[in-house]
Amino acid sequence: MPTYSNSPDSLETTLPAMPTSEATLELGLLENRRGDRLLALPETLIQAIYIGLEQETGQASRLVLFNCGRWWGKNFYVRFCEEVSEYYGQPVSEMEMVEFLQSLQQCWKTHGWGTFELDPSYSEHGFLIVKIANSLFAKTAPKSKRPACFLEAGILSAFFSQLTGRELHCLQTSCESLGADCNRFILGLRDRLQPGDSMVEEGKDHEAILSQLFQKN
């Protein structure tokens, strides 16, 4: 298992490749190498979910999407670890960081969620940075004045909470739907990330938010 410092102010990683997944169209089915079924969702369906939630719940749609992402992320983590462990013939806890991250990057891309990059360089400050480019969630998000990938943030929050054994929150600080070069997310303890919410609302950029979070913590 990727391990982290016991210090509450640190998330230093010694993080532990998922097998390259194959999706086939034989008989109209999508499957990976293990034979697990994959489901293809049209963009119009995802757009309809965004629109429907916005109409029914208003601003609460953000929380609904985030919580749905949390549920999705927990299940994704379990399945991902099962597939990786089976492929490599060893528990995830015994994998090297490079192998684990390569597996996650390949899996993320195969699922059509974009390209994934983890930046652990701020772990000594208690934060992990995730960058995702060509995000499906940003592409289909409705127009907004703030980052809109709450589902994606929920997935990351749950996945890395399971991975680290600590309850981590996730804050999106840049979004492709707003013209950014990629989606950026900061992972950390909720109380340490909380000041960042108002900064996002004020329209501050990723570096400014990160800098002020360091000062506040």
Side-chain angles (χ1 to χ4, degrees), residues 175-205:
C175 189
E176 291 176 322
S177 68
L178 297 175
D181 60 332
C182 67
N183 290 347
R184 292 179 176 82
F185 301 87
I186 304 176
L187 287 150
L189 300 178
R190 180 179 289 274
D191 60 339
R192 302 192 68 191
L193 275 182
Q194 190 170 11
D197 284 324
S198 60
M199 301 180 205
V200 171
E201 291 290 347
E202 293 168 4
K204 293 184 177 179
D205 63 27

PDB file of all heavy atoms in Angstrom, residues 175-205:
ATOM      1  N   CYS A 175     -10.491  24.651 -14.088  1.00  0.00           N
ATOM      2  CA  CYS A 175     -11.408  23.794 -14.835  1.00  0.00           C
ATOM      3  C   CYS A 175     -11.311  24.088 -16.329  1.00  0.00           C
ATOM      4  O   CYS A 175     -11.272  25.254 -16.751  1.00  0.00           O
ATOM      5  CB  CYS A 175     -12.840  24.017 -14.358  1.00  0.00           C
ATOM      6  SG  CYS A 175     -14.051  22.837 -15.011  1.00  0.00           S
ATOM      7  N   GLU A 176     -11.275  23.030 -17.099  1.00  0.00           N
ATOM      8  CA  GLU A 176     -11.220  23.183 -18.548  1.00  0.00           C
ATOM      9  C   GLU A 176     -12.468  23.875 -19.083  1.00  0.00           C
ATOM     10  O   GLU A 176     -12.420  24.531 -20.123  1.00  0.00           O
ATOM     11  CB  GLU A 176     -11.047  21.813 -19.211  1.00  0.00           C
ATOM     12  CG  GLU A 176      -9.683  21.191 -18.962  1.00  0.00           C
ATOM     13  CD  GLU A 176      -9.552  19.798 -19.547  1.00  0.00           C
ATOM     14  OE1 GLU A 176     -10.538  19.027 -19.485  1.00  0.00           O
ATOM     15  OE2 GLU A 176      -8.479  19.472 -20.076  1.00  0.00           O
ATOM     16  N   SER A 177     -13.584  23.731 -18.365  1.00  0.00           N
ATOM     17  CA  SER A 177     -14.821  24.379 -18.809  1.00  0.00           C
ATOM     18  C   SER A 177     -14.727  25.900 -18.728  1.00  0.00           C
ATOM     19  O   SER A 177     -15.528  26.611 -19.338  1.00  0.00           O
ATOM     20  CB  SER A 177     -16.010  23.890 -17.970  1.00  0.00           C
ATOM     21  OG  SER A 177     -15.910  24.346 -16.631  1.00  0.00           O
ATOM     22  N   LEU A 178     -13.727  26.395 -17.974  1.00  0.00           N
ATOM     23  CA  LEU A 178     -13.508  27.839 -17.848  1.00  0.00           C
ATOM     24  C   LEU A 178     -12.303  28.294 -18.665  1.00  0.00           C
ATOM     25  O   LEU A 178     -11.836  29.419 -18.520  1.00  0.00           O
ATOM     26  CB  LEU A 178     -13.310  28.212 -16.370  1.00  0.00           C
ATOM     27  CG  LEU A 178     -14.508  27.954 -15.448  1.00  0.00           C
ATOM     28  CD1 LEU A 178     -14.127  28.264 -14.001  1.00  0.00           C
ATOM     29  CD2 LEU A 178     -15.703  28.794 -15.878  1.00  0.00           C
ATOM     30  N   GLY A 179     -11.788  27.406 -19.512  1.00  0.00           N
ATOM     31  CA  GLY A 179     -10.673  27.768 -20.373  1.00  0.00           C
ATOM     32  C   GLY A 179      -9.307  27.399 -19.841  1.00  0.00           C
ATOM     33  O   GLY A 179      -8.293  27.734 -20.475  1.00  0.00           O
ATOM     34  N   ALA A 180      -9.225  26.721 -18.696  1.00  0.00           N
ATOM     35  CA  ALA A 180      -7.937  26.306 -18.145  1.00  0.00           C
ATOM     36  C   ALA A 180      -7.330  25.196 -18.997  1.00  0.00           C
ATOM     37  O   ALA A 180      -8.050  24.483 -19.709  1.00  0.00           O
ATOM     38  CB  ALA A 180      -8.104  25.842 -16.703  1.00  0.00           C
ATOM     39  N   ASP A 181      -6.004  25.025 -18.889  1.00  0.00           N
ATOM     40  CA  ASP A 181      -5.337  23.986 -19.668  1.00  0.00           C
ATOM     41  C   ASP A 181      -5.630  22.588 -19.136  1.00  0.00           C
ATOM     42  O   ASP A 181      -5.455  21.595 -19.843  1.00  0.00           O
ATOM     43  CB  ASP A 181      -3.826  24.233 -19.705  1.00  0.00           C
ATOM     44  CG  ASP A 181      -3.209  24.242 -18.305  1.00  0.00           C
ATOM     45  OD1 ASP A 181      -3.924  24.587 -17.346  1.00  0.00           O
ATOM     46  OD2 ASP A 181      -2.021  23.918 -18.177  1.00  0.00           O
ATOM     47  N   CYS A 182      -6.081  22.506 -17.879  1.00  0.00           N
ATOM     48  CA  CYS A 182      -6.452  21.217 -17.290  1.00  0.00           C
ATOM     49  C   CYS A 182      -7.273  21.467 -16.031  1.00  0.00           C
ATOM     50  O   CYS A 182      -7.353  22.603 -15.549  1.00  0.00           O
ATOM     51  CB  CYS A 182      -5.212  20.377 -16.962  1.00  0.00           C
ATOM     52  SG  CYS A 182      -4.191  21.054 -15.634  1.00  0.00           S
ATOM     53  N   ASN A 183      -7.874  20.409 -15.526  1.00  0.00           N
ATOM     54  CA  ASN A 183      -8.541  20.474 -14.226  1.00  0.00           C
ATOM     55  C   ASN A 183      -7.493  20.250 -13.143  1.00  0.00           C
ATOM     56  O   ASN A 183      -6.711  19.298 -13.233  1.00  0.00           O
ATOM     57  CB  ASN A 183      -9.615  19.385 -14.096  1.00  0.00           C
ATOM     58  CG  ASN A 183     -10.806  19.640 -14.992  1.00  0.00           C
ATOM     59  OD1 ASN A 183     -10.970  20.724 -15.542  1.00  0.00           O
ATOM     60  ND2 ASN A 183     -11.635  18.622 -15.145  1.00  0.00           N
ATOM     61  N   ARG A 184      -7.482  21.095 -12.133  1.00  0.00           N
ATOM     62  CA  ARG A 184      -6.561  20.923 -11.008  1.00  0.00           C
ATOM     63  C   ARG A 184      -7.364  20.738  -9.726  1.00  0.00           C
ATOM     64  O   ARG A 184      -8.347  21.446  -9.496  1.00  0.00           O
ATOM     65  CB  ARG A 184      -5.626  22.121 -10.873  1.00  0.00           C
ATOM     66  CG  ARG A 184      -4.629  22.246 -12.008  1.00  0.00           C
ATOM     67  CD  ARG A 184      -3.749  23.474 -11.841  1.00  0.00           C
ATOM     68  NE  ARG A 184      -2.724  23.559 -12.888  1.00  0.00           N
ATOM     69  CZ  ARG A 184      -2.952  24.048 -14.105  1.00  0.00           C
ATOM     70  NH1 ARG A 184      -4.149  24.517 -14.430  1.00  0.00           N
ATOM     71  NH2 ARG A 184      -1.981  24.085 -15.001  1.00  0.00           N
ATOM     72  N   PHE A 185      -6.905  19.793  -8.916  1.00  0.00           N
ATOM     73  CA  PHE A 185      -7.570  19.491  -7.657  1.00  0.00           C
ATOM     74  C   PHE A 185      -6.541  19.457  -6.538  1.00  0.00           C
ATOM     75  O   PHE A 185      -5.420  18.987  -6.736  1.00  0.00           O
ATOM     76  CB  PHE A 185      -8.268  18.128  -7.722  1.00  0.00           C
ATOM     77  CG  PHE A 185      -9.310  18.007  -8.804  1.00  0.00           C
ATOM     78  CD1 PHE A 185      -8.946  17.616 -10.085  1.00  0.00           C
ATOM     79  CD2 PHE A 185     -10.643  18.282  -8.550  1.00  0.00           C
ATOM     80  CE1 PHE A 185      -9.897  17.483 -11.095  1.00  0.00           C
ATOM     81  CE2 PHE A 185     -11.600  18.171  -9.545  1.00  0.00           C
ATOM     82  CZ  PHE A 185     -11.232  17.772 -10.818  1.00  0.00           C
ATOM     83  N   ILE A 186      -6.938  19.952  -5.369  1.00  0.00           N
ATOM     84  CA  ILE A 186      -6.096  19.859  -4.176  1.00  0.00           C
ATOM     85  C   ILE A 186      -6.766  18.889  -3.210  1.00  0.00           C
ATOM     86  O   ILE A 186      -7.951  19.048  -2.885  1.00  0.00           O
ATOM     87  CB  ILE A 186      -5.919  21.222  -3.494  1.00  0.00           C
ATOM     88  CG1 ILE A 186      -5.358  22.252  -4.471  1.00  0.00           C
ATOM     89  CG2 ILE A 186      -4.997  21.095  -2.279  1.00  0.00           C
ATOM     90  CD1 ILE A 186      -5.250  23.662  -3.885  1.00  0.00           C
ATOM     91  N   LEU A 187      -6.019  17.901  -2.759  1.00  0.00           N
ATOM     92  CA  LEU A 187      -6.507  16.934  -1.779  1.00  0.00           C
ATOM     93  C   LEU A 187      -5.840  17.195  -0.443  1.00  0.00           C
ATOM     94  O   LEU A 187      -4.622  17.418  -0.375  1.00  0.00           O
ATOM     95  CB  LEU A 187      -6.196  15.506  -2.233  1.00  0.00           C
ATOM     96  CG  LEU A 187      -7.044  14.969  -3.388  1.00  0.00           C
ATOM     97  CD1 LEU A 187      -6.256  13.968  -4.206  1.00  0.00           C
ATOM     98  CD2 LEU A 187      -8.318  14.338  -2.853  1.00  0.00           C
ATOM     99  N   GLY A 188      -6.635  17.177   0.627  1.00  0.00           N
ATOM    100  CA  GLY A 188      -6.092  17.389   1.964  1.00  0.00           C
ATOM    101  C   GLY A 188      -7.189  17.224   3.000  1.00  0.00           C
ATOM    102  O   GLY A 188      -8.341  16.933   2.661  1.00  0.00           O
ATOM    103  N   LEU A 189      -6.842  17.397   4.257  1.00  0.00           N
ATOM    104  CA  LEU A 189      -7.837  17.315   5.315  1.00  0.00           C
ATOM    105  C   LEU A 189      -8.855  18.439   5.150  1.00  0.00           C
ATOM    106  O   LEU A 189      -8.504  19.560   4.765  1.00  0.00           O
ATOM    107  CB  LEU A 189      -7.164  17.410   6.688  1.00  0.00           C
ATOM    108  CG  LEU A 189      -6.119  16.315   6.992  1.00  0.00           C
ATOM    109  CD1 LEU A 189      -5.483  16.556   8.361  1.00  0.00           C
ATOM    110  CD2 LEU A 189      -6.754  14.933   6.937  1.00  0.00           C
ATOM    111  N   ARG A 190     -10.121  18.144   5.437  1.00  0.00           N
ATOM    112  CA  ARG A 190     -11.204  19.097   5.162  1.00  0.00           C
ATOM    113  C   ARG A 190     -10.986  20.448   5.835  1.00  0.00           C
ATOM    114  O   ARG A 190     -11.162  21.499   5.210  1.00  0.00           O
ATOM    115  CB  ARG A 190     -12.543  18.507   5.610  1.00  0.00           C
ATOM    116  CG  ARG A 190     -13.725  19.442   5.353  1.00  0.00           C
ATOM    117  CD  ARG A 190     -15.031  18.809   5.785  1.00  0.00           C
ATOM    118  NE  ARG A 190     -15.415  17.727   4.888  1.00  0.00           N
ATOM    119  CZ  ARG A 190     -16.097  17.920   3.763  1.00  0.00           C
ATOM    120  NH1 ARG A 190     -16.449  19.149   3.385  1.00  0.00           N
ATOM    121  NH2 ARG A 190     -16.434  16.893   3.010  1.00  0.00           N
ATOM    122  N   ASP A 191     -10.602  20.447   7.103  1.00  0.00           N
ATOM    123  CA  ASP A 191     -10.470  21.722   7.803  1.00  0.00           C
ATOM    124  C   ASP A 191      -9.335  22.571   7.239  1.00  0.00           C
ATOM    125  O   ASP A 191      -9.364  23.802   7.313  1.00  0.00           O
ATOM    126  CB  ASP A 191     -10.289  21.499   9.303  1.00  0.00           C
ATOM    127  CG  ASP A 191      -9.049  20.684   9.636  1.00  0.00           C
ATOM    128  OD1 ASP A 191      -8.549  19.971   8.742  1.00  0.00           O
ATOM    129  OD2 ASP A 191      -8.593  20.759  10.796  1.00  0.00           O
ATOM    130  N   ARG A 192      -8.345  21.919   6.639  1.00  0.00           N
ATOM    131  CA  ARG A 192      -7.232  22.658   6.051  1.00  0.00           C
ATOM    132  C   ARG A 192      -7.580  23.192   4.666  1.00  0.00           C
ATOM    133  O   ARG A 192      -7.000  24.175   4.206  1.00  0.00           O
ATOM    134  CB  ARG A 192      -5.991  21.779   5.984  1.00  0.00           C
ATOM    135  CG  ARG A 192      -5.542  21.235   7.345  1.00  0.00           C
ATOM    136  CD  ARG A 192      -4.180  20.616   7.273  1.00  0.00           C
ATOM    137  NE  ARG A 192      -3.169  21.628   7.029  1.00  0.00           N
ATOM    138  CZ  ARG A 192      -1.905  21.360   6.715  1.00  0.00           C
ATOM    139  NH1 ARG A 192      -1.524  20.095   6.576  1.00  0.00           N
ATOM    140  NH2 ARG A 192      -1.040  22.318   6.511  1.00  0.00           N
ATOM    141  N   LEU A 193      -8.516  22.531   4.001  1.00  0.00           N
ATOM    142  CA  LEU A 193      -8.925  22.970   2.659  1.00  0.00           C
ATOM    143  C   LEU A 193     -10.083  23.964   2.697  1.00  0.00           C
ATOM    144  O   LEU A 193     -10.334  24.656   1.711  1.00  0.00           O
ATOM    145  CB  LEU A 193      -9.348  21.758   1.822  1.00  0.00           C
ATOM    146  CG  LEU A 193      -8.257  20.975   1.098  1.00  0.00           C
ATOM    147  CD1 LEU A 193      -8.870  19.853   0.284  1.00  0.00           C
ATOM    148  CD2 LEU A 193      -7.426  21.877   0.194  1.00  0.00           C
ATOM    149  N   GLN A 194     -10.780  24.025   3.806  1.00  0.00           N
ATOM    150  CA  GLN A 194     -12.000  24.841   3.881  1.00  0.00           C
ATOM    151  C   GLN A 194     -11.806  26.288   3.445  1.00  0.00           C
ATOM    152  O   GLN A 194     -12.653  26.841   2.726  1.00  0.00           O
ATOM    153  CB  GLN A 194     -12.588  24.782   5.295  1.00  0.00           C
ATOM    154  CG  GLN A 194     -13.972  25.387   5.397  1.00  0.00           C
ATOM    155  CD  GLN A 194     -14.616  25.094   6.747  1.00  0.00           C
ATOM    156  OE1 GLN A 194     -13.954  24.623   7.683  1.00  0.00           O
ATOM    157  NE2 GLN A 194     -15.904  25.376   6.869  1.00  0.00           N
ATOM    158  N   PRO A 195     -10.716  26.963   3.839  1.00  0.00           N
ATOM    159  CA  PRO A 195     -10.527  28.349   3.394  1.00  0.00           C
ATOM    160  C   PRO A 195     -10.460  28.488   1.871  1.00  0.00           C
ATOM    161  O   PRO A 195     -10.721  29.555   1.319  1.00  0.00           O
ATOM    162  CB  PRO A 195      -9.183  28.752   4.036  1.00  0.00           C
ATOM    163  CG  PRO A 195      -9.036  27.838   5.210  1.00  0.00           C
ATOM    164  CD  PRO A 195      -9.633  26.544   4.763  1.00  0.00           C
ATOM    165  N   GLY A 196     -10.124  27.403   1.186  1.00  0.00           N
ATOM    166  CA  GLY A 196      -9.997  27.461  -0.266  1.00  0.00           C
ATOM    167  C   GLY A 196     -11.315  27.633  -0.987  1.00  0.00           C
ATOM    168  O   GLY A 196     -11.343  28.144  -2.123  1.00  0.00           O
ATOM    169  N   ASP A 197     -12.419  27.231  -0.361  1.00  0.00           N
ATOM    170  CA  ASP A 197     -13.727  27.364  -1.003  1.00  0.00           C
ATOM    171  C   ASP A 197     -14.036  28.810  -1.360  1.00  0.00           C
ATOM    172  O   ASP A 197     -14.485  29.109  -2.476  1.00  0.00           O
ATOM    173  CB  ASP A 197     -14.831  26.809  -0.086  1.00  0.00           C
ATOM    174  CG  ASP A 197     -14.858  25.291  -0.063  1.00  0.00           C
ATOM    175  OD1 ASP A 197     -14.604  24.689  -1.117  1.00  0.00           O
ATOM    176  OD2 ASP A 197     -15.135  24.718   1.001  1.00  0.00           O
ATOM    177  N   SER A 198     -13.811  29.711  -0.418  1.00  0.00           N
ATOM    178  CA  SER A 198     -14.099  31.126  -0.673  1.00  0.00           C
ATOM    179  C   SER A 198     -13.151  31.697  -1.723  1.00  0.00           C
ATOM    180  O   SER A 198     -13.532  32.582  -2.504  1.00  0.00           O
ATOM    181  CB  SER A 198     -13.997  31.932   0.628  1.00  0.00           C
ATOM    182  OG  SER A 198     -12.702  31.825   1.187  1.00  0.00           O
ATOM    183  N   MET A 199     -11.916  31.202  -1.761  1.00  0.00           N
ATOM    184  CA  MET A 199     -10.963  31.678  -2.760  1.00  0.00           C
ATOM    185  C   MET A 199     -11.398  31.269  -4.160  1.00  0.00           C
ATOM    186  O   MET A 199     -11.243  32.039  -5.114  1.00  0.00           O
ATOM    187  CB  MET A 199      -9.563  31.117  -2.467  1.00  0.00           C
ATOM    188  CG  MET A 199      -9.011  31.497  -1.116  1.00  0.00           C
ATOM    189  SD  MET A 199      -7.353  30.785  -0.870  1.00  0.00           S
ATOM    190  CE  MET A 199      -7.286  30.704   0.928  1.00  0.00           C
ATOM    191  N   VAL A 200     -11.924  30.050  -4.291  1.00  0.00           N
ATOM    192  CA  VAL A 200     -12.435  29.599  -5.591  1.00  0.00           C
ATOM    193  C   VAL A 200     -13.595  30.493  -6.016  1.00  0.00           C
ATOM    194  O   VAL A 200     -13.698  30.905  -7.180  1.00  0.00           O
ATOM    195  CB  VAL A 200     -12.876  28.124  -5.523  1.00  0.00           C
ATOM    196  CG1 VAL A 200     -13.602  27.726  -6.808  1.00  0.00           C
ATOM    197  CG2 VAL A 200     -11.685  27.214  -5.292  1.00  0.00           C
ATOM    198  N   GLU A 201     -14.493  30.781  -5.070  1.00  0.00           N
ATOM    199  CA  GLU A 201     -15.648  31.641  -5.371  1.00  0.00           C
ATOM    200  C   GLU A 201     -15.205  33.034  -5.802  1.00  0.00           C
ATOM    201  O   GLU A 201     -15.839  33.670  -6.636  1.00  0.00           O
ATOM    202  CB  GLU A 201     -16.552  31.750  -4.141  1.00  0.00           C
ATOM    203  CG  GLU A 201     -17.285  30.464  -3.767  1.00  0.00           C
ATOM    204  CD  GLU A 201     -18.367  30.102  -4.769  1.00  0.00           C
ATOM    205  OE1 GLU A 201     -18.724  30.945  -5.624  1.00  0.00           O
ATOM    206  OE2 GLU A 201     -18.841  28.950  -4.710  1.00  0.00           O
ATOM    207  N   GLU A 202     -14.082  33.506  -5.252  1.00  0.00           N
ATOM    208  CA  GLU A 202     -13.555  34.833  -5.604  1.00  0.00           C
ATOM    209  C   GLU A 202     -12.829  34.829  -6.948  1.00  0.00           C
ATOM    210  O   GLU A 202     -12.438  35.883  -7.452  1.00  0.00           O
ATOM    211  CB  GLU A 202     -12.595  35.313  -4.514  1.00  0.00           C
ATOM    212  CG  GLU A 202     -13.284  35.594  -3.178  1.00  0.00           C
ATOM    213  CD  GLU A 202     -12.291  35.784  -2.049  1.00  0.00           C
ATOM    214  OE1 GLU A 202     -11.063  35.778  -2.334  1.00  0.00           O
ATOM    215  OE2 GLU A 202     -12.717  35.928  -0.890  1.00  0.00           O
ATOM    216  N   GLY A 203     -12.643  33.636  -7.512  1.00  0.00           N
ATOM    217  CA  GLY A 203     -12.008  33.550  -8.825  1.00  0.00           C
ATOM    218  C   GLY A 203     -10.495  33.538  -8.795  1.00  0.00           C
ATOM    219  O   GLY A 203      -9.848  33.770  -9.832  1.00  0.00           O
ATOM    220  N   LYS A 204      -9.891  33.238  -7.635  1.00  0.00           N
ATOM    221  CA  LYS A 204      -8.435  33.198  -7.551  1.00  0.00           C
ATOM    222  C   LYS A 204      -7.906  31.967  -8.284  1.00  0.00           C
ATOM    223  O   LYS A 204      -8.572  30.942  -8.349  1.00  0.00           O
ATOM    224  CB  LYS A 204      -7.989  33.192  -6.094  1.00  0.00           C
ATOM    225  CG  LYS A 204      -8.311  34.494  -5.365  1.00  0.00           C
ATOM    226  CD  LYS A 204      -7.767  34.497  -3.946  1.00  0.00           C
ATOM    227  CE  LYS A 204      -8.054  35.849  -3.277  1.00  0.00           C
ATOM    228  NZ  LYS A 204      -7.556  35.879  -1.876  1.00  0.00           N
ATOM    229  N   ASP A 205      -6.695  32.101  -8.839  1.00  0.00           N
ATOM    230  CA  ASP A 205      -6.144  30.990  -9.605  1.00  0.00           C
ATOM    231  C   ASP A 205      -5.520  29.942  -8.689  1.00  0.00           C
ATOM    232  O   ASP A 205      -5.374  30.142  -7.479  1.00  0.00           O
ATOM    233  CB  ASP A 205      -5.142  31.477 -10.649  1.00  0.00           C
ATOM    234  CG  ASP A 205      -3.913  32.151 -10.047  1.00  0.00           C
ATOM    235  OD1 ASP A 205      -3.537  31.830  -8.903  1.00  0.00           O
ATOM    236  OD2 ASP A 205      -3.324  33.010 -10.735  1.00  0.00           O
TER     237      ASP A 205
END
